[in-house]
Amino acid sequence: GVVVTWHEVRSGNSYGYAAAYDSATGAVTMPPTELAGFQRIRLVALSTKILLSFYDGLTGFYVYALDPASPATALAGASTTIIASNGVYYDVVKVPGQDLAFYACTRSGGGSYQMVTFTSALVTTTASKSAACVAIAVSAAPNGTHVQIVRRSSSTSIHGDYIAISGLSTVNDNTAIATTTTDPTYIACAHRSVTNGGQYRCYVYWNEGAGPSIGALSSGGGITSPWSGS
């Protein structure tokens, strides 16, 4: 089955929706369904379930494990807490080669962030990291052993942490990625699927006012080639 989500803005308010259809027949398995209060909805397909996560706009981040054949069943029940902290921003990525999703979530106050992993069965591990963080992004290295966390650490600074998935331990800490001229409102990152000089390079994207900027990190978490441009 295929699950899709989207947001609609009406009268200045944002509304979350989900729907699903059979990938073989095209038959609708769940008609468009409003998800009241759901913001920043994300989907991650694992081995047997699709994780639907969201920020509730008030208390924290939450997740449902959906059966692709019958997603409405799980949505009719209670969600599972990722972290109950009104930190506003989060990112999530599927870990290659594992039945695992890795979440990185800002925490209220901006002085730390939370790392959380979930399996299809919602088995979880979690760890918090003390680091200035007001916006966040995460990318998993293609070898499935590490993730790169990228965070806005101040109004003009972007830093990164290279994290081992096993044990959620820090390999490289607080790598300076960029000094920005304006307060970035969007951050994203993604690894190349092939190596450069034996390293999986992670590209980091952020906005400088109305325009984009980009930088690159090696898979060891060290900055290799920052630059600006479209």
Side-chain angles (χ1 to χ4, degrees):
V2 176
V3 177
V4 296
T5 63
W6 66 96
H7 287 88
E8 295 181 4
V9 177
R10 301 194 303 273
S11 302
N13 297 313
S14 180
Y15 299 84
Y17 289 87
Y21 64 92
D22 187 289
S23 57
T25 67
V28 173
T29 55
M30 183 175 73
T33 302
E34 183 179 341
L35 305 175
F38 287 29
Q39 301 178 24
R40 307 183 190 279
I41 302 171
R42 297 288 301 274
L43 296 170
V44 178
L46 297 182
S47 61
T48 60
K49 297 292 178 66
I50 298 173
L51 300 189
L52 184 152
S53 51
F54 65 98
Y55 169 56
D56 73 346
L58 183 64
T59 63
F61 308 100
Y62 302 89
V63 64
Y64 287 94
L66 308 182
D67 180 347
S70 181
T73 301
L75 288 173
S79 61
T80 296
T81 301
I82 300 172
I83 174 176
S85 175
N86 188 19
V88 181
Y89 297 105
Y90 79 104
D91 199 7
V92 59
V93 66
K94 164 80 166 61
V95 177
Q98 298 191 53
D99 178 39
L100 198 69
F102 189 106
Y103 288 85
C105 309
T106 60
R107 296 178 62 95
S108 179
S112 63
Y113 64 87
Q114 196 78 11
M115 299 175 286
V116 185
T117 64
F118 278 103
T119 67
S120 292
L122 296 181
V123 175
T124 185
T125 59
T126 184
S128 61
K129 182 170 176 61
S130 178
C133 182
V134 289
I136 201 162
V138 62
S139 177
N143 59 15
T145 60
H146 295 77
V147 296
Q148 179 68 55
I149 301 286
V150 177
R151 51 188 168 82
R152 179 161 65 86
S153 49
S154 72
S155 60
T156 58
S157 298
I158 298 174
H159 284 79
D161 306 310
Y162 195 57
I163 306 295
I165 295 170
S166 177
L168 303 181
S169 59
T170 302
V171 178
N172 283 323
D173 186 48
N174 205 39
T175 301
I177 297 173
T179 299
T180 65
T181 58
T182 59
D183 189 354
T185 51
Y186 301 100
I187 298 176
C189 58
H191 280 83
R192 292 196 70 193
S193 60
V194 296
T195 60
N196 296 93
Q199 301 286 323
Y200 288 108
R201 187 167 291 182
C202 181
Y203 289 87
V204 182
Y205 306 84
W206 64 94
N207 68 306
E208 294 265 2
S213 291
I214 185 171
L217 295 134
S218 71
S219 60
I223 191 72
T224 60
S225 55
W227 71 91
S228 294
S230 58

